Amino acid sequence: MSRDLPRGNERSITMVDVARHARVSVATVSRVLNTPERVAPDKSEAVLEAVRKLEFRPNLAGRTLRAARTRTLGVVLPTLSHPVFAECLHGIEATARERGYSISIATTGYEPAQEHQASEILLQRRVDAMVLTVADARHSRVLDKLDAEAVPYVLVYNQLGRRHRRRSTVSVDNRAAARQMVAHLIGLGHRRILMLAGNVRQSDRSRQRLQGYGDAMRAAGLTPLAPIELAFMAPDAAVHLGDAIRSDAPTALFCSSDQLALLAIRDLAALGLAVPADISVAGFDGTSLSALMVPPLTTVVQPSIALGRAAVERVIALLDGARIAQPTVLTHELRLGATAAPPRP
């Protein structure tokens, strides 16, 4: 790497730094960024590599350049293979289009490092603002960066406490919703309820839902069981479920997402257990797919399309000069399907 690069936060990266790093002229850098078809492929790649390495954002290097809007919103979501985020994106895209905005999308695979990279790519594209879901909104390098650079954004699904009210959020009350679902299972007569969760350290939503599970158990005078934590895209849970059934003997599973609930139902069948005859299962998300199951899944329904719509309305309001108001908390509901029933006597 060139010895002429700025260190730390001494100053902003400029086209001069990019040119030195790529060993080309500043004019070549300008051509690559504006008319790349006029530049030889080897020089173009050297410049683009320098841009990535130095995290140079040509259109955001000076704040004055943010004055001209592109009418494009950046959208950062963990994945589009999970129906809850696909449904949210539907609401985001439809509302943006209605308001005269386009969207630019990036996914992160639930990885904080990928969140940083995705946000950098979107900022290089000169998005006016962002709608995003991050792994942990309390400790986010990306949000710290957006705050520092005065980039408007709204978090969707992330839920923050009072100490973080300066960050605009649109969500359901994850803790209250989980507490209500577990209370429903307790009302059916279940006393040994096990939670199947996404990685609690990776996801503030999983952590909040685990807290709600504990709240409901303790309120009923029951002892919460240690949760089974799985990677968000785990292919199976059979080994973990087999171990838990032998040691904890749960009569019901509360899963922190519908996707985990579907995984559990499949793997319980492989273990010879029928749902809900042998063990009840409840989920969280209320995706349209979960309503098409046979039997339909008992789950907490998040209004994902409405969450996406509300996030776009709020971020456009921020662009138009509105101050951050109270968190937007949309109403959840319980869908009482057929995967939860009273335990066997």
Side-chain angles (χ1 to χ4, degrees):
M1 180 179 291
S2 169
R3 290 175 295 178
D4 299 320
L5 298 180
R7 297 177 180 272
N9 293 319
E10 290 177 9
R11 62 178 177 82
S12 298
I13 300 296
T14 68
M15 279 205 292
V16 173
D17 298 314
V18 174
R20 287 173 178 167
H21 187 76
R23 300 182 184 280
V24 298
S25 68
V26 173
T28 297
V29 173
S30 179
R31 282 193 293 273
V32 169
L33 297 175
N34 294 288
T35 54
E37 68 278 2
R38 296 174 55 194
V39 184
D42 58 335
K43 289 187 177 181
S44 181
E45 180 54 36
V47 169
L48 293 176
E49 175 60 26
V51 166
R52 288 190 292 267
K53 186 76 172 178
L54 304 182
E55 296 183 354
F56 172 61
R57 295 198 297 274
N59 294 300
L60 292 180
R63 290 189 179 183
T64 57
L65 294 179
R66 291 189 54 77
R69 289 194 189 180
T70 62
R71 300 196 72 81
T72 302
L73 303 177
V75 180
V76 179
L77 296 171
T79 178
L80 295 182
S81 65
H82 193 307
V84 72
F85 296 116
E87 291 177 12
C88 180
L89 180 62
H90 175 74
I92 290 171
E93 193 279 330
T95 308
R97 185 175 65 251
E98 290 164 7
R99 297 294 302 273
Y101 284 79
S102 61
I103 62 172
S104 186
I105 308 166
T107 59
T108 63
Y110 297 95
E111 293 292 340
Q114 293 299 315
E115 292 172 2
H116 175 71
Q117 183 179 21
S119 66
E120 282 294 325
I121 290 170
L122 292 174
L123 289 172
Q124 288 174 22
R125 295 175 184 170
R126 291 190 61 213
V127 297
D128 292 332
M130 290 195 195
V131 173
L132 64 169
T133 302
V134 297
D136 188 344
R138 296 182 307 174
H139 308 288
S140 172
R141 179 184 174 193
V142 169
L143 301 186
D144 290 342
K145 173 181 64 181
L146 297 180
D147 288 337
E149 298 191 15
V151 178
Y153 66 89
V154 171
L155 292 163
V156 61
Y157 294 111
N158 294 110
Q159 182 183 359
L160 287 165
R162 293 182 179 179
R163 289 182 297 175
H164 298 273
R165 287 292 170 88
R166 64 190 176 89
R167 291 178 168 170
S168 187
T169 62
V170 177
S171 71
V172 299
D173 189 329
N174 288 281
R175 185 168 183 170
R179 181 169 62 242
Q180 188 178 356
M181 177 55 79
V182 176
H184 168 69
L185 295 175
I186 293 170
L188 291 175
H190 295 280
R191 295 296 178 266
R192 296 192 64 77
I193 302 169
L194 177 66
M195 184 168 178
L196 189 63
N199 190 301
V200 173
R201 288 171 296 179
Q202 255 187 307
S203 169
D204 50 20
R205 282 87 66 209
S206 287
R207 186 164 56 248
Q208 291 154 2
R209 294 168 194 178
L210 178 60
Q211 291 167 341
Y213 159 81
D215 292 343
M217 294 290 281
R218 286 186 289 270
L222 304 173
T223 301
L225 302 176
I228 296 175
E229 292 185 56
L230 295 176
F232 289 103
M233 305 304 286
D236 66 74
V239 173
H240 301 282
L241 288 173
D243 291 343
I245 288 165
R246 285 188 291 272
S247 60
D248 295 321
T251 62
L253 285 179
F254 170 55
C255 303
S256 66
S257 72
D258 284 359
Q259 193 146 316
L260 286 176
L262 297 178
L263 192 71
I265 290 170
R266 185 200 68 184
D267 291 349
L268 288 168
L271 294 169
L273 297 173
V275 175
D278 298 315
I279 186 168
S280 290
V281 175
F284 197 117
D285 282 334
T287 59
S288 56
L289 180 63
S290 67
L292 300 176
M293 290 174 50
V294 179
L297 181 67
T298 293
T299 186
V300 174
V301 179
Q302 297 193 87
S304 289
I305 293 175
L307 287 169
R309 283 188 169 277
V312 171
E313 292 290 356
R314 172 164 277 202
V315 84
I316 291 174
L318 292 176
L319 280 168
D320 291 339
R323 293 185 177 182
I324 295 176
Q326 295 294 315
T328 298
V329 181
L330 300 190
T331 303
H332 68 273
E333 62 182 51
L334 300 191
R335 181 189 294 155
L336 303 182
T339 57
R344 284 182 172 176

